[in-house]
């Protein structure tokens, strides 16, 4: 397997590695994949509740170099975006940016899933935190 | 081979030097193939140009010179395994030898029975040949292996029935290097009147193999695992006590006493013979050196990392083999981190099939640990300095990747990874 320079760069210098407090109400956590499949991604976002802008993102990944690069890139891309903008990120854009070969497309799919899962988690927290009448008013 | 080799060297092939003077990349994948020994090359060279004759040409000196080389090689191979020269048939390598042995015996003894016994951890050259025969009315028993990688002799005993014509069990495994109890298997087969074939590719020249002491009837050999050239192999076929007959796969000019037609690959054969002669001389000493280096690598890794697991027994194992799973780290990403070292991984991510190593799975290794496995194959030309470098690089890369691993973090937090309900989205 030969890797593109961008994959190698993310692998050697992964951006935004780390973890945030899962319990923080502004933090959304996505955990996707399975150890038996050889890939698990954890992607976390910290969202400004006033603006819906993702102010910080962190990841940890168990997986191949392309999986590490896809999740590293995903954290770069979601930072500064609103929730809706982040939801619009497609795995195909990751494939293109990292020049992933066909056998590695599922690594990018996993990164897209991780973004969605993190946002989903954050949204769920917002809903359960909000008083009922505010929810109804929306 | 199911262990797929990523080619880390491809990105860095321009050779460079590590600080301590060793040449990079380091080749430590000697179960995939071995570099040629220069003495082997030297033996082969005359047979390309000066002595180019066809050994089947019986009436001129060109043919005689080639024939002489072939017969010297036959003697050298025979000597290494305790056989006689007439029992050696030249082939294009072990895939052909395995096919010839299994299909050849099956066709010859079809009247006697249709049952074949093998093991789940065999090389694909054996497994797929057996599968092929299943389509033609043969019944195949695939013996399981124990956690240590070895077949259970009681399982074998129970599997043999009055229709069994062939047992084919490898001498040494190409992924985990474990040595099957072939002397015991041979004895059992002899007692029960069943032909015993062994794929001895990884064992010959590394550990003693004696066809008489071990009651082996048919054995596959290949040169390129033995510091010889690729595309040259042999099959040992017993000629007495008992005499084993095989039906050829390749018909034609009747070479190799009709068992394998086709003009012989004289340079390759000369190389295979020389490789065996060198092994005969140096095996005892070399295997001590290999085991020393292998244990040094093992200690270097195990003393500095927790949660690493050796796959297969250390007790019955090729001296140069080490197969380790590094929990919480995926194999391909580890290979990428040590890309100045050529090794291979049982991880699915390094293969097109997305299935981790079937050999490791057969040991009961979980898929997660199979994905985390690395096979180190130490060979004749590896040095202590290289082993130390590899140990350091592996340790630093595993530590770095564990910092990146959500599984490691969860395990350290006390989460039982087996109890997590994973949302598996990809393969
Ligand atoms: C155990 C075993 N059998 C058979 C083979 C096939 O040998 P060859 O490459 O000579 O066809 C190999 C090599 O990959 C092997 O390791
Ligand atoms: S994680 Fe398996 S191929 Fe990328």
């Amino acid at each position: 397997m030969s890797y593109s320079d961008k994959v190698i760069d993310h692998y050697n210098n992964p951006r935004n590695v780390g973890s945030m407090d899962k319990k923080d109400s502004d933090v959304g956590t996505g955990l996707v994949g399975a150890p038996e499949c050889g890939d698990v991604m954890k992607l976390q976002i910290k969202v400004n509740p006033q603006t819906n802008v993702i102010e910080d993102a962190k990841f940890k990944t168990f997986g191949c170099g392309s999986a590490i690069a896809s999740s590293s890139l995903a954290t770069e891309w979601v930072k500064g975006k609103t929730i809706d903008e982040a939801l619009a990120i497609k795995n195909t854009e990751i494939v293109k940016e990292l020049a992933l070969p066909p056998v590695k497309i599922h690594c990018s799919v996993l990164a897209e899933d991780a973004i969605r899962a993190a946002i989903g988690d954050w949204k769920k927290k917002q809903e359960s935190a909000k008083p009922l009448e505010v929810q109804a008013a929306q | 081979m199911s262990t797929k080799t990523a080619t880390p060297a491809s990105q860095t092939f321009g050779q460079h030097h590590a600080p301590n003077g060793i040449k990079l990349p380091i080749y430590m994948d000697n179960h995939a193939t071995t570099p040629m020994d220069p003495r082997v090359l030297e033996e082969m060279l005359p047979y390309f140009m000066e002595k180019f004759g066809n050994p089947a040409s019986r009436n001129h000196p060109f043919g005689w010179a080639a024939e002489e080389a072939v017969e010297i090689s036959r003697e050298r191979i025979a000597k290494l395994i305790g056989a006689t020269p007439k029992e050696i048939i030249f082939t294009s390598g072990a895939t052909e030898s395995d096919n010839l042995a299994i299909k050849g015996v099956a066709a010859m003894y079809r009247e006697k029975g249709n049952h074949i016994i093998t093991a789940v951890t065999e090389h694909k050259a054996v497994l797929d040949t057996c599968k092929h025969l299943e389509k033609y009315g043969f019944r195949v028993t695939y013996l399981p292996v124990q956690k240590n990688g070895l077949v259970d002799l009681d399982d074998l005993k129970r599997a043999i029935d009055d229709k069994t014509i062939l047992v084919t069990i490898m001498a040494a495994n190409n992924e985990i290097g474990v040595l099957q109890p072939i002397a015991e298997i041979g004895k059992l087969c002899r007692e029960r009147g069943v032909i015993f074939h062994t794929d001895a590719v990884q064992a010959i020249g590394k550990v003693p193999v004696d066809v008489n002491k071990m009651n082996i009837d048919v054995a596959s050999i290949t040169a390129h695992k033995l510091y010889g050239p690729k595309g040259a192999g042999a099959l040992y076929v017993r000629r007495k006590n008992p005499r084993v007959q095989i039906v050829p796969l390749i018909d034609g000019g009747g070479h190799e006493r009709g068992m394998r037609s086709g003009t012989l690959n004289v340079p390759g054969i000369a190389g295979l013979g020389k490789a065996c002669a060198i092994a005969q001389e140096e095996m005892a000493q070399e295997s001590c050196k290999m085991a020393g280096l292998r244990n040094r690598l093992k200690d270097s890794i195990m003393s500095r990392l927790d949660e690493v697991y050796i796959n297969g027994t250390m007790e019955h194992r090729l001296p140069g083999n080490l197969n380790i799973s590094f929990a919480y780290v995926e194999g391909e990403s580890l290979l990428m981190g040590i890309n100045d070292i050529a090794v291979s991984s049982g991880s699915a991510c390094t293969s097109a099939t997305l299935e981790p190593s079937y050999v490791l799975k057969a040991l009961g290794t979980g898929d997660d640990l199979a994905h985390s496995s690395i096979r180190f194959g130490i060979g004749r030309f590896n040095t202590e300095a290289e082993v130390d470098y590899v140990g350091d690089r592996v340790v630093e890369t595993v530590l770095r990747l564990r910092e990146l691993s959500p599984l490691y973090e969860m395990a350290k937090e006390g989460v039982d990874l087996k109890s997590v309900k994973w949302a598996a989205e990809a393969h």
Side-chain angles (χ1 to χ4, degrees), chain B residues 334-354:
Chain B
L334 179 49
L335 290 187
M336 195 173 167
I338 54 172
N339 69 345
D340 50 6
I341 300 162
V343 291
S344 58
S345 168
S347 162
C349 302
T350 62
S351 78
T353 62
L354 301 182

Side-chain angles (χ1 to χ4, degrees), chain A residues 6 22 32 34 60 68 82 90 96 98 105 125 137:
Chain A
K6 283 191 177 142
K22 272 199 293 268
V32 296
K60 285 203 173 191
I68 291 172
T82 64
K90 289 272 163 295
K96 206 163 150 223
L98 296 175
I105 287 175
K125 277 186 184 170

Side-chain angles (χ1 to χ4, degrees), chain B residues 232-274:
Chain B
L235 186 68
Y236 158 78
V237 185
R238 177 175 290 283
R239 272 169 69 89
K240 51 177 210 266
N241 310 320
R243 176 182 170 80
V244 174
Q245 287 177 285
I246 55 171
V247 173
L249 293 180
I250 299 177
D251 296 302
H255 307 76
E256 300 298 276
R257 293 187 316 289
M259 284 192 266
R260 206 280 192 176
S261 287
T263 298
L264 292 173
N265 166 12
V266 180
I269 288 168
L272 171 56
K274 181 66 178 178

Side-chain angles (χ1 to χ4, degrees), chain A residues 46-60:
Chain A
K46 192 178 175 79
V47 186
N48 182 327
Q50 259 77 53
T51 58
N52 275 2
V53 168
I54 299 173
E55 293 187 331
D56 198 6
K58 295 271 181 231
F59 86 97
K60 285 203 173 191

Side-chain angles (χ1 to χ4, degrees), chain B residues 123-138:
Chain B
H123 192 270
K124 289 284 182 193
V126 167
L127 291 177
D128 287 359
T129 303
C130 288
K131 280 210 194 86
H132 171 87
L133 288 175
E134 281 183 292
K135 284 187 241 153
Y136 294 89
F138 286 86

Side-chain angles (χ1 to χ4, degrees), chain A residues 37-40 62-67 103-104 106-107 110, chain B residues 330 332 347-350 354 371 427:
Chain A
C37 305
D39 35 33
V40 175
F62 163 84
C64 71
S66 305
V103 291
K104 297 297 181 185
H106 74 271
C107 312
L110 208 60
Chain B
E330 190 280 317
E332 190 194 307
S347 162
C349 302
T350 62
L354 301 182
H371 279 289
H427 61 265

Side-chain angles (χ1 to χ4, degrees), chain A residues 1-3 7 11 14 17 19 31 33-40 42 60-65 68 104 106 113, chain B residues 7 11 328-330 332-333 336-337 349 367-368 371 400-401 403-407 409-410 422-427:
Chain A
M1 180 74 47
S2 67
Y3 306 94
V7 170
Y11 174 84
V17 176
S19 296
L31 184 67
E36 295 74 34
C37 305
D39 35 33
V40 175
K42 187 185 78 168
K60 285 203 173 191
T61 289
F62 163 84
C64 71
I68 291 172
K104 297 297 181 185
H106 74 271
D113 290 340
Chain B
T7 45
Q11 282 153 25
Y328 318 120
V329 172
E330 190 280 317
E332 190 194 307
S333 66
M336 195 173 167
C349 302
D367 278 7
D368 50 341
H371 279 289
R400 182 172 95 79
L401 290 172
E403 280 311 303
L404 227 76
S405 170
L407 303 179
E409 180 182 72
M410 290 163 84
W422 297 101
E425 314 269 353
H427 61 265

